[in-house]
Amino acid sequence: MNPPSSIVILTGAGVSAESGVDTFRDKGGIWSKVDYRDVATPEGFARDPALVHDFYNARRRGMAGVEPNAAHAALARLERKFDGDFLLVTQNIDDLHERAGSSKLIHMHGELGKALCANCSNRHAWAADMATDTLCPACGSTGYMRPDVVWFGEMPYHMEHIQAALEACDLFVSIGTSGNVYPAAGFVQEAQRAGAHTVELNLEPSEGFSLFTEAEHGKATEIVPKYVERLLGARG
Ligand code: NAD
Ligand code: APR
Ligand code: ZN
């Protein structure tokens, strides 16, 4: 394969697993302990906002002491060293990619560190636990504060930017995602339609495994750095 000129990378929970962040659908994953309909849907938030606040407060506190791993570092190095177009799209709401140095980054499912007021759409960083009486600093309302996370049934963020990058890329690499949730699970086909070479780097074959032109299975901290070095080496 010729060296690429435009790369899109998609990551999921598997890229953060070795940093100690739980995935969703692996054995013992988040959705085996909590029903996603209660904490990751607008209906769940309307039904019991305190339950949703408790869930995300715990996930935010659980990030204390969690560090980026070698896969995050390798992707930040690829962004720095690659002289073509580059975009990293993550489904993750943790901040490990940016803490590893990635900046050409889109959080399509939002960010755990941001709060969103459902009344006025103001977004701001949140550091203390969120509750139903949390005041919005912009509109002064209470009872509308939610994590700035895209829930099931809601549209992901920056989809136009992502679509444009997929249509222009000649290399698409999917890392640490089960390929269960759309629209992210369909990105491989959109890249393929653009003529891109598509690669899956995952612990095990994902739902969409057969759609990829190339696949490598193993731990992200092992296979991602090696893949990045091969890619940068190929560019000379
Ligand atoms: P979807 O159809 O895209 O995905 C539904 C997912 O729910 C499936 O992948 C399945 O794995 C999962 N699921 C179904 N039953 C489940 C169960 N009992 N326990 C755990 N998981 C279960 O969902 P959708 O409503 O069409 O979502 C579309 C939009 O929502 C997309 O834009 C997506 O980006 C967004 N989204 C965000 C989150 C989040 O938590 N940030 C989660 C999923 C989807
Ligand atoms: N190295 C590489 N891959 C790994 C590792 C690892 N150490 N550990 C787990 N994986 C892989 C699993 O094999 C699985 O395919 O990561 C994937 C994790 O899949 P999910 O738990 O379904 O997480 P993800 O694909 O990110 O979920 C997509 O669903 O619930 C929503 O919003 C949530 O963004 C999430 C979306
Ligand atoms: Zn507000």
Side-chain angles (χ1 to χ4, degrees):
M1 175 202 153
N2 299 325
S5 60
S6 171
I7 302 177
V8 173
I9 309 265
L10 171 69
T11 61
V15 81
S16 297
E18 290 163 86
S19 294
V21 183
D22 285 345
T23 62
F24 291 93
R25 296 174 187 82
D26 285 320
K27 190 169 176 322
I30 295 173
W31 296 146
S32 68
K33 298 169 188 155
V34 179
D35 188 330
Y36 79 102
R37 288 160 295 198
D38 292 336
V39 295
T41 64
E43 296 77 13
F45 183 64
R47 193 167 49 244
D48 188 348
L51 180 73
V52 175
H53 288 141
D54 290 349
F55 176 71
Y56 285 97
N57 288 337
R59 287 186 68 188
R60 189 181 56 79
R61 286 198 300 270
M63 287 302 291
V66 169
E67 295 297 327
N69 63 49
H72 297 105
L75 293 172
R77 173 171 154 75
L78 178 58
E79 175 186 319
R80 278 195 308 277
K81 298 286 185 189
F82 180 63
D83 55 8
D85 293 329
F86 182 90
L87 179 64
L88 170 54
V89 180
T90 188
Q91 298 172 92
N92 299 340
I93 59 177
D94 64 48
D95 61 353
L96 298 178
H97 280 307
E98 41 272 69
R99 286 172 54 199
S102 291
S103 59
K104 296 177 182 172
L105 171 65
I106 285 180
H107 278 277
M108 66 179 286
H109 282 172
E111 296 175 67
L112 190 53
K114 285 191 182 161
L116 169 66
C117 172
N119 182 51
C120 73
S121 302
N122 171 265
R123 284 181 171 80
H124 61 280
W126 61 304
D129 278 1
M130 200 177 279
T132 46
D133 61 357
T134 299
L135 193 73
C136 169
C139 70
S141 65
T142 57
Y144 291 98
M145 204 55 72
R146 59 174 274 187
D148 187 17
V149 169
V150 174
W151 287 329
F152 286 101
E154 295 179 327
M155 272 312 287
Y157 295 153
H158 309 296
M159 281 306 291
E160 284 181 21
H161 184 167
I162 296 169
Q163 303 285 6
L166 289 168
E167 285 161 18
C169 77
D170 54 8
L171 176 61
F172 174 76
V173 186
S174 177
I175 304 172
T177 181
S178 61
N180 260 297
V181 174
Y182 286 84
F187 288 173
V188 54
Q189 288 156 303
E190 296 185 46
Q192 237 139 27
R193 271 198 288 278
H197 181 75
T198 57
V199 181
E200 169 173 283
L201 303 178
N202 204 56
L203 189 65
E204 60 206 7
S206 71
E207 286 284 311
F209 159 64
S210 59
L211 299 169
F212 289 86
T213 38
E214 181 188 346
E216 197 172 338
H217 297 121
K219 290 184 172 181
T221 56
E222 291 167 11
I223 63 177
V224 175
K226 285 181 188 148
Y227 179 79
V228 166
E229 288 320 305
R230 283 202 307 274
L231 199 56
L232 292 173
R235 293 185 61 79

